[in-house]
Each structure stands twice: as C-alpha cells, then as structure tokens.
Amino acid sequence: MSDEQELQQLREEVQQLRQRLDEVNRKLERLAQPPAPPIVPPSAPPLSTPPPVVTQPPPPTTPPVIPPPPPIPAAPRESFEVRLGTYWLPRIGIAVLLTGMVFFAAYITPRLTVPHKVALGYLSCLVLGVLGLLLEKKTPQFARVLLGGSMALTYFVTYAAHFVDAFRVIQSPTVALTMLSVVVLFIVGVAQERRSPTLGGMALFFGYYTSVVSGVATFTLAANGVLAVAAVFFLARNRWVTISYGAVLATYLTYMIWVWKFAGWGDIRHLLFDSGYLGAEDFRLRAAFLSLYWLVFTVGGLMIRGRASLPASHDDAAWQEARPPGELERLEPAERNGLLTLNNVFFFILFTLLMRHAYPDRQWAFQFCFGGALLMASALTYQRFAPESSIMDALFLQGLAVATLGVISYFKGVRLVAALALESAFVLVLARWMQSRWIAWIGRAAFAAAACYAWGQYNDWDTPMRYGVWFAGAVGFVCAGMENRTTRQLPAGEVGTASLYFAVVATALAMTAARDQFETSQMPWVWTLGAVAVAIVGGALRTREILWAAHLPLAWGYGAFGSGQLSDNEWALTPSLALIAVTFAFGIVVWGRARARGDDAQATNLLAPYAFFATLAVIFVTLDYAPERWRLTAFAAETLTLVIAAALANERTFSYLAFATVFIGAFGYVTARRSLFAGASVAWSNFLVATLLLIVGERISHRRSPLRKLSVWMVVVVTVVALYALRRLVGGAYLTVSWAVLGFVLLAFGFAIRERFYRVGGLVSLGFSLARAILHDMARVETVYRILSFIGLGVILLVLAFLYARNREKIAKWL
C-alpha cells in the first residue's frame, strides 16, 4: 500500500471517530435534562390543607468535557530531490533509452536481417512491458514510466517497419498506417483501462518524439494525425487537457520540421519573405495535412461535453487525487478556449505562410473562408454552450479578426480605408447586440488599421483618397457615439476611453485631409472652423468625448498662431479674432457644465487654460494690429471686458488675466517712443478714454469682494499712467501745476466715492508736484511760471487741507 493510500485510510478512520463522539455527546445531553413532573388528576379538596412543602430541584448534571480530537497532520511536502528522483529521472531515462535504441538499431543494421531487427524491436517492447507490470505494485510511478516507454517503443517499431529503409518489412503505406492505428488503439485502451494520464501522455509524447528523431516525412504526418485523434479521445473521455495541449504543439511542430528544412538565415529569409514558388501538388499535400489537424482538434474541442461519469476504481494514485471518485471534472471554458485558440493560431499562421508560398494573390480567399468557418462554428455553439458565452465569443472574436485581415488583403487604397471604417461600425453594433466587450476591440483595431494605412499613404493621396479619409472620419464620430452609449454611464466630468479614442482618431483623420485639401493661407480658418464643426458634431451626437476631441484642431491652431508670431508671419486679424472667440466659447461651455454640476473648483480649473490662451492671443493681436497711438485704450477696453466677465461669472481667473492685461498695456505705454505723443489731440484722447475705462473697471471690481485686490492695482496703474502721460503731454513749466491738478482730482474723487486708494493716489501726485516745484521750478523755470506753479500748488493744498479738516470725522469713520 502506498503512502497516499495509508494517509487516506487514516483520514477516514478519524472521520468515523468524530461521528461517534458527536453521538455520545448527544446522548449525555439528553440524560442531563430533568424529568418532566407527572400529571396528577384533580381530586376533592381535603378538610384541612397542610402547609405546602417546598422541594429543591436536583442540581443539573454537567456532562463530562470530552477533549477535541487531535488535528490531522498535514501531508509532508516532497523535497525537490525526491520529486526529481521519482518523477523526472524515470521520464528522462526512458527518453534516453529510446534514443539509444534508435541508434543501436542503426548500428546493428548491417549485422541482422530485416525480420530479425523487427523481432528484436518487439522483444524489447515486451521486456519493458513485463518489467513494468512486475514493478507496478511496488513502485507504481516508475512502473507507469516503463509501461509508457514500452508502448511508445512499440509504436516506433511499427512505424519503422514501413518508413525506415533498414527496418522495412511492410511495403504498403495503407497497411502500415492501419497497423499504427491498431497500436494507437492498444495504447488508448491500456491507458483508459488503468485511468492513467501518465501512461497515455508518455505513450503519445514518445510517439511524436520517435517520429521526429527518425526523420519526418509524409508518412510521419499521417501517423501524427492518428496520434492527434488519440489525444482528442483522451480529452473527450477523461478530460486530460494537458495531453491535448501537448498534442497540438507536437502535431504542428512536426509539420514545421517537415516543411522548414533550413540550414541558415538564408533559408529562413526565403521562407518568410519569398512567395509564389510552391507548386500546386505540394500545396495540396500540405494544405490537406494542416486542414486535417485543424479539423481533428476543432471537432474534439467543440464536441466534448462538460461532465462524464467515471468508475471509482483505478490504479493511478495521482489521478485519484486530482479528481473526486465517481465523476470527472468539468471541462472549464478557459481550458476549452485555450485549446481551440492554440489550434486556430497555429493553423492560421502556417496556412497563411503556405498561401504566400503558393498563391500570394489569393490570401484573402483563405482568410475570408477561415474567418467564415470560425463564425459558423461560433453560431453552431450558441445552443450547445448557452450558459457559458465565452466559448462562442472567443470563436466569434477570432473569426472577426481573421475576416479583418482578409479585408486588408483584398482591398487597396481608398476602398480599404472605407471598408475598414465601415467594418468598425458594424462590429461595434455586433458587440453591443452580443454584449461582448472583447468583440468591440476588433472594431477599434479595424479603425486603427484604417487610420494607419491612410497616414502611411499620405504622400500618394489623390482626391478620392481625401474624400475616403473624410468618410472614415465621419464613421469614426458615429463609432464614438455608439461607444458612448454602449459603455456604462460614467460619472459627470469623466471621459470614456474607447469613445475618446474614436473621436480623437476621427478628428486627426479629418484634420489631415483638410491640411492636404486647403492652401496654407486658408489654414487659420481651417483649424478654427474645424474645432467648431467637431464640437457641433459632438453636440448633435450627445457625445462629450467628441467635444473633447474638438480641442485637437483648436490646439493645432494655437500652435500655428504661436509659430507665426515667432516667425513674423502673423495671422490675419479676422481669423485671429475668430480663434479667440471660439476659445472663449469653449471655455464658457465647459465652465457652465461644471457649474451646473455644483463643482465650482473644477469649473475654475477647467476655465483657466481657455481664458489664458485666449487672453494671450488677444494681447498678441493688440500688439500686432492696434495702432500704437490707441494701444493704451485697446488694452484698457480689454481689461474692462475681463473685469465685467469676472464680476458676472464671479471667477478670479478673469481678474488675474485683467491684471496681466492692464499691466502689459501700462508697461507698453510707459516704454513707448516719444512719437506716440506727437499728435496732441489723439494723444490726449487716448489717455483720457483709457483712464476713464480703467476707472469704470475699477469701480466694477470694487463692488465684488473677490476682486478687491484688482481694484487696488488698477488705481495704482491709473495713477502711474496719469503721471507719465502728463509729463509727456504737458511738460515744461506747466507740469508741476498739472500734477497738482491731478492730485486734486484724485483726492476729490476719493472723497466723493469714499475710496481711500484714490486719495492715496492724489497725495502721491501732490508729492510729485511739490518735489518738482522745490527741486526743479525754483531754479530752472522763468519767474512767471515759477509764481504760477507755487501759487497754483499752494491753493490746491489749502483747498485739500480744508476738505480734510471739514471731513475729519467722516474720514475716520470711512477708515
């Protein structure tokens, strides 16, 4: 008895002891319960009732505490040394022994007759088999290796009796193949009778191995077909999945060894890149074997049921542990899918190479036929595997993939782009109908193939190709809409990856076609209106991912706009203004949606880049197209617009941009050339209108608490600009008086609106006037202008002192 059987018997005995202990505990609990009081019938009341006697109930009996049974010791884990010695060494040894016997057979060929060689081979098989039977009870694992080697050697001797010249006693290939089939049936019968995957797997493995060692020929491929049938039988009867995987690999590997007889890189290059050199007869032979292999494994994988009964009595301890007695394991969908997929991949690759070598112009026919076969197989399995749809989905997915390759092989040029685009939409509809996310990936891959092919042929585009690319872009937008509705509803603000992929690729295709269609001078309008067009499509399809993709031409437009600024090749005024308007519109739409969701922080973050780039473009357009003599007014008007936007939207982003705009405008005004102030009327108008606009903007920002800092800075800018403008516009002897008048006006305005910063600005202006009167006018101007400066400054100071004295208490309250 092996160690595994003894351990199993101990486990059963412990389980029986536990059941007995549970039964003893239940009996003790029933005995510990107090007996129920007897029922006494009612009788006549006595004449005198004695006092009741109170009796104490007997104390409850506590059942004895039975200790729990000792834990079952875990099975000791085998060491690597034991595993190597008991599992791998016998298998390696039998492989080496079979190889040595093949060499020995070649060595003794001149010394023996052919019948003696065959008889000696069968005698060796018999010796190995008898030895395995004798050792089966003592060392079952080693005995199974010997039995497997014996059956594999029997297969080889039968195989060599026809194929190997030195062993040939069977001249007819039909008879030889029949005898090989009988040997395989014998192997299958022995392995099945003993329920031993070791015997079956080793026999099949060494059958393939001896075929390869002795040399692969046409007869070998036919023999391997018989072995493949045996492997499928083991899968169908016993669910020996590992043997089936090995059979797929060995069968196709043997075919490759037969076909790919190369000695160096030149042969490999010839195999991979040369085409059209294979004759019709060779093609039919190779195609027949490949089709046979594929059909055997496909039918086996599809026809196997999920469960099957199995007698509990068998000799293989490993098989006993792997599967519960009395029933086979269920063939899992992943195992079935893996077997079918491995078979399909090998067949497709090898048959595609075969078509390339024989009929390179008709590869599409094979791909369409094979894809149709897989799709048909998927339809046939719909009812058989209805509870588990992954098998049908896997075959359908592979069929679509192969059919897509057929489309690529058959169509060329604009027809290929249009066909792949239409296929992507059709596959997405199928994926939505079948509720399969994996099938949708075929549609995405088809659209990617269409885009890559179109971009790869860009230098050879003609008018039909451009229209085909636009058509593909339109289909891509439709696919983005379908992806948006197929996927689950994403939280607000999040973007679906698949839908965004279609939208971005479709937009990029449309942009590429537009760039090839229009002239360079028209590109500013192309980028701007392209962004609007994509956004309209996104709104019509109610797909926010297309709206995000509309930023691609907008970003491209800003890149072209910036490069034009750096290269002194500015955009025209009208498309520049259109770009700015579209950017602000995009920002307002995104900001409004975020505000509608109640996420004010995200709304600010989303608005900031749009407002920044649009304002930057406004500044560049102003510097390029606004006349220098009116540039301060232009910047003041832009600042007022931003202040109004900040006040209406209650957004700090606009206030920051308004500060940047007014600062750049003031800096440009202060650093401007003197010729700016040559025309007195225009210069005064520019200064006064700009100042008025800035004051209006300051008053608007002052009424909003988040914009108070902007209000202060605008007062500073007004004061600085006014001081510099008076210095340029008045100058000479009247500058002191003009600065004093400016200070008076600012102070009076500050008193009127109760604003401290205007009063501070007025005091600063008066300080400049007083300093100039003392440091400059006293020594350098004529007496008349000196008198005018001091008298005017003195009067203004007295009036202001009077105003301060009169409003002293009010000023204290204001402060």
Side-chain angles (χ1 to χ4, degrees):
M1 184 179 296
S2 62
D3 295 339
E4 292 84 356
Q5 294 176 346
E6 293 180 358
L7 181 60
Q8 182 66 23
Q9 184 176 359
L10 288 175
R11 289 175 178 173
E12 294 177 358
E13 292 178 357
V14 170
Q15 184 65 25
Q16 294 176 0
L17 289 175
R18 285 182 177 177
Q19 294 177 358
R20 293 179 180 178
L21 289 174
D22 292 339
E23 185 177 356
V24 170
N25 288 333
R26 287 193 297 269
K27 290 181 179 180
L28 291 174
E29 290 177 357
R30 287 196 299 268
L31 293 175
Q33 293 180 356
I39 301 175
V40 180
S43 57
L47 296 176
S48 61
T49 304
V53 178
V54 180
T55 60
Q56 296 292 335
T61 305
T62 304
V65 179
I66 300 176
I72 300 175
R77 185 176 181 180
E78 291 182 340
S79 64
F80 173 75
E81 180 183 358
V82 174
R83 182 68 174 172
L84 177 64
T86 58
Y87 185 83
W88 288 110
L89 285 184
R91 287 158 174 81
I92 297 173
I94 198 66
V96 173
L97 177 62
L98 289 177
T99 307
M101 294 185 72
V102 171
F103 294 151
F104 176 73
Y107 173 74
I108 65 172
T109 297
R111 298 169 175 80
L112 296 176
T113 61
V114 173
H116 291 164
K117 298 171 190 177
V118 176
L120 182 61
Y122 281 119
L123 180 61
S124 301
C125 301
L126 181 62
V127 171
L128 283 177
V130 172
L131 184 61
L133 292 174
L134 293 176
L135 297 177
E136 188 172 14
K137 294 184 178 181
K138 296 182 179 180
T139 55
Q141 292 184 356
F142 182 72
R144 284 192 295 271
V145 173
L146 293 179
L147 288 173
S150 171
M151 290 186 290
L153 185 59
T154 304
Y155 175 87
F156 169 72
V157 172
T158 308
Y159 169 82
H162 169 75
F163 176 72
V164 181
D165 294 336
F167 280 79
R168 182 171 297 160
V169 294
I170 303 174
Q171 302 299 327
S172 172
T174 304
V175 175
L177 192 61
T178 302
M179 292 184 63
L180 276 179
S181 301
V182 172
V183 173
V184 171
L185 288 176
F186 173 74
I187 294 173
V188 170
V190 173
Q192 183 65 29
E193 188 272 333
R194 296 176 178 273
R195 299 292 188 266
S196 175
T198 302
L199 285 177
M202 287 190 60
L204 294 182
F205 169 77
F206 287 118
Y208 284 109
Y209 175 71
T210 52
S211 300
V212 173
V213 171
S214 60
V216 180
T218 306
F219 180 76
T220 309
L221 300 180
N224 287 345
V226 177
L227 294 177
V229 174
V232 171
F233 173 80
F234 285 142
L235 179 66
R237 188 66 182 90
N238 303 316
R239 307 302 185 267
W240 293 343
V241 181
T242 305
I243 294 178
S244 301
Y245 275 87
V248 172
L249 292 173
T251 302
Y252 286 108
L253 180 61
T254 306
Y255 170 85
M256 287 187 286
I257 293 174
W258 176 57
V259 174
W260 297 351
K261 298 175 182 178
F262 52 85
W265 166 245
D267 294 335
I268 299 177
R269 184 172 54 188
H270 170 72
L271 175 70
L272 296 179
F273 300 107
D274 293 348
S275 61
Y277 61 85
L278 197 64
E281 184 177 356
D282 291 335
F283 170 78
R284 286 194 294 269
L285 179 63
R286 300 180 185 189
F289 279 119
L290 283 177
S291 301
L292 173 65
Y293 298 155
W294 178 80
L295 188 64
V296 167
F297 290 115
T298 301
V299 172
L302 292 179
M303 299 304 294
I304 297 171
R305 295 184 176 275
R307 305 183 72 90
S309 299
L310 174 70
S313 59
H314 52 78
D315 300 329
D316 196 334
W319 177 250
Q320 184 74 271
E321 282 189 9
R323 288 160 174 79
E327 190 172 293
L328 282 173
E329 277 191 352
R330 179 176 180 268
L331 185 62
E332 296 296 334
E335 297 174 342
R336 191 190 305 271
N337 290 342
L339 178 64
L340 294 175
T341 302
L342 186 65
N343 180 38
N344 292 335
V345 169
F346 271 112
F347 175 74
F348 175 76
I349 294 175
L350 295 177
F351 211 103
T352 299
L353 284 175
L354 180 61
M355 291 295 297
R356 179 178 177 83
H357 298 159
Y359 304 103
D361 298 332
R362 300 180 62 183
Q363 286 193 17
W364 59 269
F366 157 68
Q367 291 164 350
F368 278 135
C369 292
F370 185 47
L374 292 178
L375 294 176
M376 186 179 298
S378 173
L380 293 177
T381 58
Y382 178 73
Q383 293 295 335
R384 184 177 180 84
F385 303 105
E388 178 54 58
S389 62
S390 66
I391 301 170
M392 180 185 66
D393 290 346
L395 292 175
F396 197 87
L397 182 68
Q398 295 166 25
L400 286 178
V402 174
T404 302
L405 294 177
V407 171
I408 296 175
S409 300
Y410 182 75
F411 294 102
K412 302 297 180 185
V414 63
R415 294 190 301 168
L416 176 58
V417 175
L420 288 175
L422 289 176
E423 182 191 354
S424 64
F426 174 72
V427 171
L428 288 182
V429 173
L430 284 179
R432 185 177 181 181
W433 175 64
M434 298 178 65
Q435 296 181 353
S436 173
R437 61 187 180 92
W438 295 110
I439 293 177
W441 280 103
I442 298 297
R444 298 162 192 165
F447 195 74
C452 293
Y453 177 80
W455 286 325
Q457 303 294 322
Y458 179 73
N459 295 327
D460 300 327
W461 276 16
D462 52 7
T463 301
M465 189 65 174
R466 282 194 295 269
Y467 286 108
V469 171
W470 271 325
F471 173 77
V475 174
F477 288 133
V478 174
C479 293
M482 287 192 293
E483 289 278 23
N484 181 264
R485 286 156 181 76
T486 301
T487 56
R488 61 182 178 86
Q489 295 295 328
L490 295 173
E494 294 189 13
V495 180
T497 305
S499 182
L500 183 62
Y501 154 74
F502 276 106
V504 169
V505 176
T507 304
L509 285 174
M511 289 171 56
T512 307
R515 184 179 180 182
D516 188 69
Q517 176 72 28
F518 297 99
E519 301 293 336
T520 304
S521 59
Q522 298 173 321
M523 295 314 297
W525 283 111
V526 170
W527 303 135
T528 304
L529 296 180
V532 176
V534 175
I536 292 174
V537 171
L541 296 177
R542 297 181 181 180
T543 305
R544 56 189 172 188
E545 289 80 8
I546 300 179
L547 296 176
W548 284 108
H551 294 76
L552 191 60
L554 191 66
W556 199 286
Y558 269 98
F561 179 84
S563 62
Q565 293 293 329
L566 296 176
S567 60
D568 295 332
N569 187 20
E570 295 87 0
W571 281 19
L573 178 61
T574 307
S576 300
L577 295 178
L579 180 67
I580 294 167
V582 169
T583 306
F584 270 119
F586 272 52
I588 292 300
V589 170
V590 174
W591 171 83
R593 289 188 174 184
R595 277 290 184 91
R597 297 193 299 266
D599 195 346
D600 295 343
Q602 187 181 18
T604 301
N605 295 332
L606 292 175
L607 177 63
Y610 298 98
F612 171 76
F613 282 106
T615 305
L616 188 63
V618 166
I619 292 172
F620 279 115
V621 169
T622 304
L623 293 175
D624 291 337
Y625 293 101
E628 190 175 12
R629 60 183 181 274
W630 288 105
R631 193 170 292 169
L632 180 63
T633 301
F635 277 109
E638 294 162 7
T639 302
L640 178 60
T641 303
L642 291 171
V643 169
I644 294 174
L648 293 177
N650 196 24
E651 278 288 346
R652 294 181 181 269
T653 301
F654 289 118
S655 66
Y656 298 145
L657 296 174
F659 169 74
T661 304
V662 72
F663 177 80
I664 292 174
F667 181 79
Y669 187 77
V670 172
T671 58
R673 296 169 295 184
R674 292 189 177 184
S675 59
L676 175 65
F677 306 95
S681 60
V682 176
W684 274 103
S685 300
N686 179 41
F687 162 63
L688 293 176
V689 173
T691 303
L692 180 61
L693 293 176
L694 292 177
I695 291 175
V696 173
E698 184 277 329
R699 287 291 83 201
I700 294 175
S701 61
H702 180 76
R703 294 179 179 275
R704 296 282 186 176
S705 57
L707 308 180
R708 290 290 174 80
K709 292 183 179 180
L710 176 63
S711 173
V712 175
W713 284 108
M714 291 185 69
V715 173
V716 174
V717 170
V718 167
T719 304
V720 173
V721 168
L723 289 172
Y724 181 78
L726 291 175
R727 180 176 177 272
R728 291 297 185 187
L729 294 173
V730 178
Y734 297 102
L735 180 58
T736 302
V737 177
S738 64
W739 279 354
V741 173
L742 174 63
F744 177 78
V745 172
L746 291 177
L747 279 167
F749 188 69
F751 277 114
I753 64 174
R754 300 179 182 181
E755 181 56 55
R756 177 187 180 187
F757 296 106
Y758 279 103
R759 297 196 301 270
V760 173
L763 293 175
V764 171
S765 300
L766 289 175
F768 273 90
S769 176
L770 182 60
R772 178 176 174 80
I774 296 173
L775 300 177
H776 184 270
D777 295 349
M778 187 176 292
R780 299 182 182 182
V781 300
E782 298 179 4
T783 305
V784 177
Y785 297 109
R786 187 187 308 157
I787 295 171
L788 181 60
S789 298
F790 277 89
I791 290 176
L793 180 59
V795 171
I796 291 173
L797 291 175
L798 290 174
V799 172
L800 292 175
F802 172 74
L803 291 175
Y804 269 100
R806 185 176 179 180
N807 298 287
R808 182 176 182 180
E809 295 180 358
K810 294 181 180 180
I811 294 174
K813 292 181 180 179
W814 296 342
L815 298 178

